[in-house]
Amino acid sequence: MTALAGADLQSAVDQLAAAANERREIEPLTDTWTALDERVAYDIQGALVAKHIADEKTRLIGWKLGLTSVAKQKQMSVDRPIYGALIASRAINDGEPVAISSLIHPKAEPEIAIVTNRELKGPGVTADHARAAIESASAAIEIIDSRFKKFRFTFTDVIADNTSASRFAISTVRVPVAGLDLRTLGAVFEKNGEVVSTAAGAAILGDPAIGLAWLANAMADRGLALPAGSVVMTGALTDAIAVAPGDVVRVSLAQLGSLSIRFV
Ligand code: OOG
Ligand code: MG
């Protein structure tokens, strides 16, 4: 089968939801549906997120960018960003233990999260518009957990899988961005007290504000606007790292502070 009919869309959603719920890997959707395109992949993502929201009686709180840094694009062999949804039930607190057994094969990523103060509606959103719409920034860690075997997927597979989104922790310290240049914020990522990588905010497409503008314009392709008060994870600043029980990962960002997650 190469095309993707309506029934196939539901089957893709069911396979992805079951893989997450039952903590097991599946083969990439494109092994079966070789013609899966980006538009349909975002339709699958939308239906999958709606299912998670209904099943978990939760709500959408914002969006996440993925593959916005050269490090991540190289790691995953792609050259363009993607976006996915953030739902409230997947948030974890600073320092909270996360059971590896509740996930498939988690990896942790250091990120900058922002909150918006006005609606952004594409097309035509510029970095300047986006910069003016950033209310605050916070240190954050995303736990990604692809539902696909060994994190092997194509660009459209990972879009359908809500961009590998699993859990996310955002510091409650929300730093107002007036007078802050997100490009020059230094980031240090540590595992068990050892530095594993370093970066600066400019790793995100040159400026996290460019990432935010990209998101608003990409959402406009699907007729969506980014509402005021949205939380946006701007994407991994450096490579994602695999984690095992006992590991503690920590991100420290200049002027934003630190945040850690403990795996058990
Ligand atoms: C896709 C998700 C990438 C990021 O921050 O770059 C992502 C993946 O690498 O599995 O969340
Ligand atoms: Mg991420």
Side-chain angles (χ1 to χ4, degrees):
M1 201 188 317
T2 53
L4 194 84
D8 299 331
L9 188 144
Q10 192 54 49
S11 153
V13 169
D14 292 344
Q15 284 182 50
L16 289 165
N21 294 339
E22 296 161 21
R23 289 158 209 126
R24 57 178 173 78
E25 304 170 319
I26 58 173
E27 299 297 337
L29 301 174
T30 51
D31 278 8
T32 315
W33 296 303
T34 48
L36 177 62
D37 66 18
E38 217 172 300
R39 188 184 53 79
V40 175
Y42 276 110
D43 287 346
I44 294 172
Q45 179 193 113
L48 176 66
V49 171
K51 177 170 168 53
H52 286 318
I53 289 175
D55 290 351
E56 296 170 30
K57 299 184 173 48
T58 190
R59 67 195 169 85
L60 183 75
I61 59 164
W63 298 88
K64 59 159 283 189
L65 289 165
L67 311 178
T68 43
S69 62
V70 172
K72 278 291 300 193
Q73 292 186 355
K74 281 204 177 124
Q75 188 178 31
M76 307 316 290
S77 308
V78 301
D79 59 4
R80 279 182 302 144
I82 52 180
Y83 69 93
L86 291 180
I87 61 177
S89 53
R90 305 299 174 83
I92 52 178
N93 297 318
D94 188 359
E96 189 174 326
V98 173
I100 298 274
S101 61
S102 67
L103 303 170
I104 305 168
H105 43 202
K107 294 185 185 181
E109 305 180 322
E111 304 211 10
I112 298 172
I114 56 172
V115 177
T116 61
N117 63 12
R118 69 192 67 172
E119 183 187 71
L120 285 174
K121 196 167 192 290
V125 175
T126 65
D128 284 342
H129 293 141
R131 201 172 293 110
I134 302 176
E135 172 84 20
S136 64
S138 303
I141 294 175
E142 182 178 27
I143 302 173
I144 52 170
D145 195 28
S146 175
R147 269 51 67 173
F148 301 119
K149 211 172 194 167
K150 298 196 166 103
F151 274 82
R152 184 179 70 82
F153 45 68
T154 66
F155 194 69
T156 50
D157 286 311
V158 68
I159 291 169
D161 186 28
N162 195 25
T163 65
S164 307
S166 178
R167 308 294 160 84
F168 57 93
I170 299 178
S171 172
T172 53
V173 180
R174 290 184 172 190
V175 181
V177 289
L180 204 66
D181 183 350
L182 294 179
R183 296 173 307 162
T184 58
L185 293 188
V188 176
F189 193 39
E190 288 163 282
K191 180 162 129 179
N192 304 329
E194 305 261 332
V195 175
V196 287
S197 53
T198 57
I204 305 303
L205 298 172
D207 185 341
I210 296 175
L212 182 61
W214 179 86
L215 173 65
N217 292 324
M219 287 175 69
D221 289 345
R222 293 167 71 205
L224 301 172
L226 183 69
S230 294
V231 175
V232 178
M233 299 276 289
T234 56
L237 291 154
T238 69
D239 290 1
I241 53 167
V243 285
D247 286 342
V248 177
V249 296
R250 181 178 187 81
V251 63
S252 303
L253 279 148
Q255 300 174 76
L256 302 185
S258 307
L259 173 83
S260 61
I261 294 181
R262 186 159 60 86
F263 292 91
V264 293

